[in-house]
Amino acid sequence: MSVTGTIDSICEELYRRRELYGISYFTLAGSNFERFAPIVERLSGK
């Protein structure tokens, strides 16, 4: 499953998947890790 969109929409989708499926770890594919940093920062510790 992939996610796309704004930082807000991606965070909301990852929260939804955690609640629905109990998923709390995600794998990043590709080399654009820096682009995902704001999402990791927002979700860390939650």
Side-chain angles (χ1 to χ4, degrees), residues 8-29:
D8 288 336
S9 67
I10 291 172
C11 288
E12 288 174 19
E13 178 60 19
L14 295 177
Y15 281 133
R16 186 187 74 77
R17 290 181 187 186
R18 181 176 64 186
E19 292 299 315
L20 186 61
Y21 303 114
I23 298 171
S24 59
Y25 289 87
F26 298 92
T27 303
L28 299 177

Side-chain angles (χ1 to χ4, degrees), residues 25-39:
Y25 289 87
F26 298 92
T27 303
L28 299 177
S31 60
N32 293 316
F33 300 112
E34 296 84 19
R35 293 175 64 190
F36 207 75
I39 296 164

